Amino acid sequence: MSHHPAPVVKPADDPAFKLPASMSALSVPLCGGGLILMIAGWAIANFMVSEKVGMSAYLAAFIYCLTLTIGCLFFVLIQHLVRAGWSTVVRRIAELVMVMIVPLAILFIPIVMSLLTGSGTLYRWDDPEYSVANHLNANVWEAKAGWLNQYWFMFRSVIYFAIWIGLAVYFYRGSTEQDETGQRSVTDRLQYWSGPAVMLFSLTTTMAAFDWVMSLAPMWFSTMFGVYLFAGSILSAHCLICLSAFLLQKKGAMRDEVTVEHYHDLGKLMFGFTLFWIYIAFSQFLLIWYGNIPEETEWFYHRQEAGWEYVSIALVVFHWIVPFMGLMSMFVRRRPAIIAFWAGYLLIMHYVDVFWMIMPEAHAAVPYSAPAATTPIAVAASVMCVVGMVGLMLGLLFRVAGGSKVVAVRDPRLAESMAFENV
Amino acid sequence: MSLAIPNGLDNTVERPGERAPLVLGDTTYHDITETVCQVAERKPSKAWVIGFLISFLVLQWFVVCILYLLYEGVGVWGNRSPVFWGWPIVNFVFWVGIGHAGTLISAILFLFRQEWRTSINRAAEAMTIFAVVCAGTFPGIHVGRAWLAFWLAPYPSLNLWMWPQFRSPLLWDVFAVSTYGTVSLLFWYMGMVPDLATFRDRSKNKWRRMAYGLLSLGWSGSSRHWMRYEKAYALLAAFAAPLVLSVHTIVSFDFAVSQVPGWHTTIFPPYFVAGAIFSGFAMVLTLMIPARSMLGLEKLITIRHMDNMCKIILATGSLVGLAYGTEFFIAWYGQVREEKFAFTNRAFGPYWWAYWTMVTCNVISPQLFWIKKFRTTPWIIVLICIFVNIGMWFERFVITVTSLSRDYLPSAWAYFEPTWVDWSMLIGSFGMFFTLFLLFCRLMPIINMAETKATLAKQIHIAHSNGEEH
Amino acid sequence: MSDNTDSNDTSMNTVSGDKKVHGTVAEFTTVDSLMDACRKVRDAGYQKTDAFTPFPVHGIDKALGIKPTILPWIVLVCGLTGTAVALTMQIWMNAIDYPYIISGKPYISLPAFIPVAFELTILFASFGTFFGMWILNGLPKFSNPVFTDPRFDRVTDDRFFLYIDAKDPKYNQAGVEKLFGEFGSDYIQSVVEDDSEKKIPGFMYKVWIAVAAVSIIPLLIGLKMRVTNSDQPRFHIFFDMDFSPSKDAQQNTTLFADTRAMRPDVPGTVARGQHDVNFRTGIDMDAMASIDGVRAERLVRMLDDDQPESASESEESAPETTKSVMDTTPWLTDNPVDVSEETLLRGKQQFGIYCSVCHGLNGGGNGLVNRRAQRILAATWVPPSKLHDASLHADVYPDGKLFSTISNGIRKMPGYSAQIKAEDRWAIVAYVRALQRSQDASIDLVPKDQLEKIKKQQAEVEAALKAEADKANAGAESAEEETDADTSDAETSEDAKDESA
C-alpha cells in the first residue's frame, strides 16, 4: 500500500477555489467581443456569400457550443450515477459549463426566426416548394411534413431545452448548495436522480441530433446519428475539462487539488473516446457505404465531392489517427502541458467535425452551384462566428464562475478525489 | 489483519465519501483461500452431481443431434426459403451475446477501476469462453458441410486455388469470434495462474499437485513477476475492451451491411453491443446467485455485487429499449416503404407474439430494477434475469426471422417453423454450457483469490488509515 | 530481457550444510510489515532482492526499486505487425492473387478490410502481451529453489516473503538474518538448492512419444493420400451429395406430390419477359374472377402449367345455339399492344403466313385451302369465317375474343398459340381490324391527294377485270381448267384486287 500523506482539504473559502481575478476581468470583454465577432461572422457569410451559408455558419457555431455544454452535462450525470470518486476535483468545471445551456437557449432564437420565415433558409424542409422542386413522392412528403414542420419542430426544441435546463440547473444548484452546507444528503439526492436524468438525457440528445442536424438533409436518415453527435460531444467535453483545469492551475487556482493523476485519467478517457468516436463514425460510414442504397448514400456522397472529400479524409487522419497516436503513451498522459495541448487540438478538430456535418448541406440543395461553403470567405466567416460564440459563452461562464467556486469544495468525496492514484 | 464486518451488513448503502466493504465478515486472506478452494477440494455435493448428470445427458443429446445433422444435411432444420438463417444463427448470436459479460467485467470494469468485479470476474470469464464455444458450434454446423469449415481460413490450398472473400461480413465474423475466443482464453488463463498456484500449493495428492503445477507454470508470487503480470493484465484489458465491442459490432454487421429491411440500420453496432452486455450480465447473475448460496460464497459475492450488476442490466436494458424506439422512429421518419413495413410487420405481423415477448422481457422487466428491493432480493433477480435471457433470445429471433420471412418479394413470403432438431440443439447447447461450467466449478478456482485478497488488503488499509482498528 | 533478475543457480558463493544456499527468506504476515522491510532492505543497499506475495501489492516495485518493464514496447510492435499482416494479406488475396468483384465493391475495399485488420491487430498484440509476459518472467519454470521450503506454500495463501539473493554483493548470511530479525519476522530461513529428482520421470517420455506418434498419424494418412494412386472406386460417405439425383424435364420424381420433376412457376409469379394473364388470354381476368372465380382460377392455372391456353375449353362442350360462356366472358376490348404502323406490318406478315391460307389474304374467307376443299367437296369441311362479317366486328366480337380464337381455335380451326407468339397474335388482331375497316370504309376517308390515284387505279382494275370477264365468257371451259392447274395465278389476281381495295 502506498504511504502518501493523506491530502489536506482546504477550507471552503480558500482563494485556490476562486476563479482567478485575471479570468473574472475577462468576462465583459469576452462577452462584448464575442457577441460582435459572432454577429460579424454571420453578417459576412450572410451578405457576402448567401443567407443559407450565413445561417449554416451560425448553426455550426451553435451546435459546437451545444455539444460541449451537453457533453459536460452528461459528464456530471454519469459521475453521479457511478458514484465516481476520482473526478470530484474537476466536476465543478463541467457543472459550470453545463449551466451555459441557459444562454444557449437564447442563442437558439435566431434559428427559430429563420425557420419562421418559411423560406428554407436553414432547413430545406421549411421551404414549401421543397418537395415539388425535388420531385418527391407526395405521400412520403406529406408523412414527413407531419414531423418536419415549423411549429412541431419548435415545440420539440422547447422540450429539449426545458429538460436540459432543468437537469443542468438542478444539478448545479445542488452542488453549489453543498458548497455552503456541506451536507452529504445533497450528494445522495443528486445520485438518486442521476439515473432517470441519464435516461432523459439520452432520449433528448438523440432526438435533438435528429432534429437540429440530421434534418438539414431532409430525406436522409441514420439511426446512429444521435450516437455520433454524442460521441463527439463527450470527447470534447473531456477535452474542455482537461484544458480548463490546466488553464485554471496556470492562473493559480486548484493547484494542490488537481494532480498529475487526474490528467492521466482524463487523458485515458480522451484516448478512449477518440476511439469511441471513430468506432461510431466508421460503423455509420461502413454500413451506408456497404449497403449502397441511394437514399442513404446521399449524405456521404455530398461529403465526397466539391472539396469535402479532403475534409472527410482529414477528419479520419487528424480527428483520429494523430490524436490516437499522440495520446497512446503514458508518458504523454502524465505531462499536463502535453495533455492540455491535445485537449485544445481535439477541441479544434471537434469544430471541423461539426463544420463537416453541417456546412455541406448549405449547398447540397443546388448540386451544380459553386461550393459556396468552402470558399475562404465562408470558412473565415464560420470561424469568426464560432470563435465569437465561444467567446460569448466563456464571458458568461466567467461571470457565473466568479460568483461561485471552481471546485466542489465541500463534496464528501473531495478528499478521495485528491488522493486518487491511477493503478 | 482481520476486519470485522458484520455478515448481515447491508453493504449496498454507501455514504458519499466512504466506500462500502466488498468482502464481508471477519474475513482473512486465508479465509478467502479456504472459501474458494473448498469448492474444488471437497467431495462434490449431491446437487452438483445431479446437475452435472443432467447437463451431460443433454450434451450427449446435442452430440447425437449434430451427428444426425451431419448425416442427413441441414434439411433437418426448419430453415426453408426464404428463412435460411433460422435458429442456428439465432442461437449463435444469442451465445455470442452471453459471452460478452465476462470480458466486459474483466476488461472494461477493470479499466474503470470497479473493484467489485474481482469476485465475479473469474466465473464470468469462464462463462464467456463456454458461451463462445457454444456460439462457435452453430455457424460451424450451419455451413452445411461442416467438415470443410476450415475452408474459411486463409490458408494456401492446393485444391481450391483461391482465397476467402474478405469483403464479406461473414468472414469478418470468423476472425472476430475466433480472436475473441482466443484472447478471452488467454485472459482467463493468465488471470488464473496465481490461483492455480494456490491450488498447487494446497494439494495433498501427487497427481493433483503435478497437474496444477504444470498449469500454474511455476508461479512463485515474485514481485517482479507480479509487476509484469499486472502490466500485461492491464494491456490485455485495454485490448479486450475494444475487442469485446468489436465482436458484437461485427456480428451486427452480418445483418446490417445487407439491404434486408429491418437489418440495414446504422444503430445496429452499439445496439447489439448493449444487448450483448445486457444478456451477458443476466446470464452471469442467473448462474452466480445459485452458485453463491450453494457453494457458500456469500461473504465474497455480496448483495452489493448483485446490486451493481442489476444497475448495469437496467442501464443496458434501457439502452436497448432506446434503440428499439429509435429504429421504429427512423423507419417511420425515413418513409422507405419496405422499412416501414418491416417494422410494422415485426410488431403486428405473424410474429407479433415474439416481438411483444421480446419487448416485455427486455424493456419492461428490467425496469423493475429501479426498485432497490428487487435489486437486492436474490430470487427476484434470478427471475428477472431469466426473463431477460428469454427476451434476448427472442430479440435475435425477431431480427433474424421476421425480416427474412417477409422481405422484398411477397411471393416468397413464408412462415418459419422450427423442427424438433432446432429445439434439441437450442436445449443441447445449454447442456454443453452447463456441463463445462459445472466442470469448471469443480476443477478451477471459481473466484479470483489473488484479486479479492488485494481488494481486502485495500479495505484493511483504508480501515487502518481511518483509525477504526489497530 | 535486462530486467529479469530472478534468482537462479549460476553462481553460488555460500554453502549451508551440504547444500548450496541461494539466499535468505523471511516471512511476514501483513502487507505493511513487508513494505517496511522492503524499503529498509532497499535503503540498506541490497539490490538482488525480491518479495513474494499472494496478490499484487501496489507500490512494492518502488519500495524494492524494480525497474518498469519493456513489455508495452513488445506489444506495440506485435500490434503493428498484426495490422500490417492483415492489410497485406487481404489486399494480396482479394485484389492481387485472386481478384474478383463482389457486390460491386472495388478489389481494394479498405473499409471492408478494416474489421479483420482490427481483429488481427488485437490478436497479435494479445499474443505479444501474453507470451511476452511469460518470457520476460522466465516462466514456465517448474524448479525453483524457494519451493524447497514447505512453508513457502503459503505464499499463494496469506504469507508474504522477502528474499535476498546470495549473489548480491552485500550478501552475508548472518548479516541478512540479523537484518530480517530486526523487522520482527518470526520465520527466517536459508533457501537451499532443490535436491529433488531433476530427471523427468521416464513414463513422461513414453507418454509424450506416444502422443506425438498418435498425433502424427492423421497427417501421415493425409500425406499418403496425396501421393498415392488407387484403382479402387472412391468411397462415398454421402452418396446423394456425390451423385445428385438430377432429373430431366419429363421424368417422374417422388419429391413432389404431383410426381413431376419439372416444376411449374410459383403461383402468382411473373417470369422475366413474360406478359400478364390478361395479355396471354385476352380476358380481363380480374373481372372474370368476380363473375366466375373457379373458371378464372382454372384458366390461370392452365397458363402456369405451360399448357396451350384454352379459354374456349368449355365452349367446345357447350352447344353453339345456347348462350355460351363465351358471351359472358369479360373479354378485353382494347388491344394491349401499342397499335402502330410497325405492329400492323407485323400483323400483316403473320396473317399472311398463318391465316391467309384459309381466310384469304383479304380476310374474305376464301383462301387456298378453302377453295381446294370446295373443289374436292370435302364433306366435313366447315368454311372459314369471312372476317368482314358484321358478327366479327369489334362491337360484338371484342379484340380479346378474337385473340382467344386465334390462340385456341374454333370449329375446324386449330389453336395457334404454339406457333404464334402472344405479341404477334395481338398484332394479327390489330391487322384483322384494319382489314375489316378496309372493306366497309367509305372512300371519303382516303386523303384527298391519294383519292385521284386510287380512283385511277380502281378504273384500271375494273377495266382489267372486265376484260378478263369477257375473255372468260369466251372460253369458259378452258379457263376453268387453267385456274385449277395454276391456282397461284388466280390468287395473285385476287390479291391485286384486294390490294387495290
Side-chain angles (χ1 to χ4, degrees), chain C residues 15 25 39 67 78 136 171 186 219 239 244 256 274 276 281 296 351 428 438:
Chain C
V15 174
V25 69
R39 281 197 206 92
K67 279 178 269 170
C78 289
L136 289 180
Y171 184 80
D186 331 335
L219 194 68
F239 197 82
S244 84
F256 300 102
Q274 185 187 324
D276 62 13
T281 55
F351 186 88
I428 290 172
S438 74

Side-chain angles (χ1 to χ4, degrees), chain B residues 214-380:
Chain B
L214 279 173
L215 283 173
S216 59
L217 306 175
W219 182 261
S220 63
S222 152
S223 294
R224 283 187 174 72
H225 291 181
W226 274 122
M227 188 263 302
R228 291 192 202 96
Y229 173 92
E230 283 209 285
K231 192 79 197 171
Y233 198 85
L235 283 169
L236 271 188
F239 301 137
L243 178 66
V244 72
L245 258 66
S246 83
V247 176
H248 231 54
T249 295
I250 288 174
V251 171
S252 82
F253 285 166
D254 292 348
F255 296 91
V257 297
S258 74
Q259 295 170 347
V260 175
W263 286 11
H264 184 72
T265 173
T266 49
I267 202 152
F268 257 36
Y271 152 46
F272 264 52
V273 172
I277 296 166
F278 180 53
S279 65
F281 269 77
M283 187 59 105
V284 171
L285 277 174
T286 316
L287 290 186
M288 289 313 282
I289 289 174
R292 157 184 188 267
S293 57
M294 273 154 65
L295 305 175
L297 305 170
E298 284 97 340
K299 286 182 187 174
L300 303 181
I301 304 171
T302 66
I303 297 285
R304 181 170 186 81
H305 292 88
M306 292 186 268
D307 186 31
N308 281 342
M309 288 171 76
C310 290
K311 284 178 186 168
I312 291 183
I313 289 179
L314 172 59
T316 47
S318 305
L319 271 182
V320 167
L322 181 67
Y324 293 160
T326 311
E327 274 187 331
F328 256 82
F329 170 69
I330 291 290
W332 174 80
Y333 173 88
Q335 286 291 327
V336 176
R337 194 179 53 169
E338 289 77 13
E339 202 72 22
K340 269 200 299 185
F341 172 78
F343 282 92
T344 322
N345 182 46
R346 268 187 197 176
F348 306 110
Y351 294 101
W352 61 270
W353 49 272
Y355 183 80
W356 294 106
T357 308
M358 167 188 105
V359 170
T360 314
C361 294
N362 285 356
V363 184
I364 299 170
S365 75
Q367 299 304 321
L368 294 173
F369 283 148
W370 283 107
I371 303 161
K372 185 162 178 181
K373 175 95 187 131
F374 289 5
R375 292 198 307 264
T376 50
T377 313
W379 68 269
I380 295 180

Side-chain angles (χ1 to χ4, degrees), chain C residues 286-470:
Chain C
D286 287 338
M288 177 83 171
S290 63
I291 298 165
D292 184 354
V294 178
R295 183 156 174 258
E297 200 181 317
R298 194 166 67 229
L299 287 174
V300 172
R301 198 177 316 117
M302 289 167 99
L303 284 177
D304 291 333
D305 283 0
D306 274 346
Q307 286 176 350
E309 295 115 78
S310 43
S312 59
E313 98 287 359
S314 51
E315 188 220 22
E316 281 173 52
S317 57
E320 265 186 69
T321 47
T322 61
K323 193 171 164 63
S324 99
V325 71
M326 300 298 279
D327 300 319
T328 60
T329 304
W331 301 108
L332 292 184
T333 50
D334 291 323
N335 196 325
V337 299
D338 200 14
V339 180
S340 63
E341 191 176 359
E342 207 182 330
T343 314
L344 285 174
L345 287 174
R346 178 74 184 165
K348 183 182 170 188
Q349 184 211 29
Q350 296 289 309
F351 186 88
I353 294 170
Y354 294 107
C355 312
S356 66
V357 283
C358 288
H359 290 281
L361 280 168
N362 66 351
N366 196 20
L368 291 180
V369 175
N370 185 47
R371 271 189 257 166
R372 172 72 178 165
Q374 301 287 359
R375 181 151 309 160
I376 61 171
L377 301 171
T380 58
W381 178 249
V382 181
S385 298
K386 194 167 184 290
L387 299 181
H388 307 299
D389 196 278
S391 67
L392 294 181
H393 279 189
D395 47 350
V396 288
Y397 206 97
D399 279 6
K401 191 172 180 186
L402 192 52
F403 174 86
S404 171
T405 307
I406 298 171
S407 307
N408 304 307
I410 192 167
R411 295 182 288 271
K412 278 289 162 196
M413 175 177 161
Y416 278 84
S417 57
Q419 289 98 313
I420 315 174
K421 288 194 289 184
E423 296 96 304
D424 289 346
R425 275 176 265 151
W426 283 113
I428 290 172
V429 170
Y431 181 65
V432 167
R433 294 294 179 221
L435 279 181
Q436 288 175 341
R437 184 107 192 241
S438 74
Q439 286 301 304
D440 302 323
S442 114
I443 191 85
D444 301 336
L445 289 173
V446 178
K448 285 229 166 61
D449 52 335
Q450 299 278 327
L451 205 58
E452 285 305 311
K453 199 176 153 198
I454 288 173
K455 278 185 177 164
K456 207 169 130 197
Q457 277 180 348
Q458 198 177 9
E460 278 171 20
V461 170
E462 274 169 9
L465 285 174
K466 207 181 162 198
E468 208 177 324
D470 293 344

Side-chain angles (χ1 to χ4, degrees), chain A residues 64-290:
Chain A
Y64 181 72
C65 293
L66 181 86
T67 47
L68 289 178
T69 311
I70 61 173
C72 285
L73 173 59
F74 183 75
F75 180 87
V76 173
L77 297 182
I78 204 78
Q79 303 308 324
H80 281 301
L81 186 68
V82 303
R83 284 83 170 119
W86 72 273
S87 61
T88 311
V89 289
V90 292
R91 205 188 62 225
R92 176 55 56 79
I93 298 172
E95 284 168 349
L96 286 166
V97 176
M98 79 183 176
V99 285
M100 289 301 113
I101 193 71
V102 180
L104 268 177
I106 296 161
L107 288 179
F108 193 67
I109 290 171
I111 293 165
V112 173
M113 300 293 279
S114 91
L115 207 61
L116 282 175
T117 60
S119 54
T121 313
L122 180 56
Y123 293 103
R124 273 178 278 150
W125 48 261
D126 194 31
D127 181 0
E129 300 298 307
Y130 177 75
S131 73
V132 182
N134 287 279
H135 314 291
L136 298 178
N137 180 319
N139 292 334
V140 167
W141 185 251
E142 201 183 328
K144 287 206 82 141
W147 186 262
L148 297 176
N149 63 65
Q150 295 167 1
Y151 295 104
W152 181 219
F153 179 92
M154 282 181 230
F155 179 75
R156 293 195 305 269
S157 305
V158 169
I159 298 281
Y160 305 150
F161 273 116
I163 289 176
W164 292 337
I165 290 175
L167 292 178
V169 170
Y170 181 76
F171 278 84
Y172 178 74
R173 282 233 178 110
S175 185
T176 45
E177 186 190 315
Q178 201 174 39
D179 285 356
E180 309 299 325
T181 63
Q183 278 176 339
R184 287 177 187 223
S185 61
V186 174
T187 306
D188 281 329
R189 199 182 73 216
L190 296 183
Q191 283 175 359
Y192 182 79
W193 287 111
S194 60
V198 165
M199 290 191 80
L200 274 178
F201 174 87
S202 45
L203 199 66
T204 44
T205 312
T206 308
M207 294 312 290
F210 290 163
D211 279 341
W212 295 350
V213 185
M214 196 170 88
S215 81
L216 284 168
M219 297 309 290
W220 185 70
F221 54 89
S222 166
T223 38
M224 178 90 113
F225 197 78
V227 188
Y228 178 66
L229 199 75
F230 168 75
S233 165
I234 188 70
L235 169 64
S236 48
H238 279 89
C239 295
L240 184 64
I241 294 165
C242 180
L243 186 62
S244 310
F246 181 74
L247 294 176
L248 282 169
Q249 282 198 309
K250 237 183 147 104
K251 298 280 174 196
M254 55 204 244
R255 279 213 169 134
D256 299 325
E257 282 72 26
V258 178
T259 66
V260 70
E261 300 293 340
H262 298 105
Y263 288 104
H264 186 178
D265 218 38
L266 282 167
K268 282 197 272 189
L269 286 164
M270 277 157 61
F271 177 72
F273 283 118
T274 317
L275 204 58
F276 181 65
W277 177 86
I278 191 69
Y279 162 63
I280 297 296
F282 175 73
S283 298
Q284 177 169 271
F285 171 74
L286 179 82
L287 293 179
I288 289 172
W289 171 82
Y290 207 110

Side-chain angles (χ1 to χ4, degrees), chain B residues 6 16-17 29 39 48 55 155 213 225 230 242 299 359 385 402 407 427 433 439:
Chain B
Y29 299 130
V39 174
W48 186 91
S55 309
Y155 73 104
H225 291 181
E230 283 209 285
K299 286 182 187 174
V359 170
C385 285
T402 56
D407 71 358
I427 297 165
F433 181 75
L439 278 178

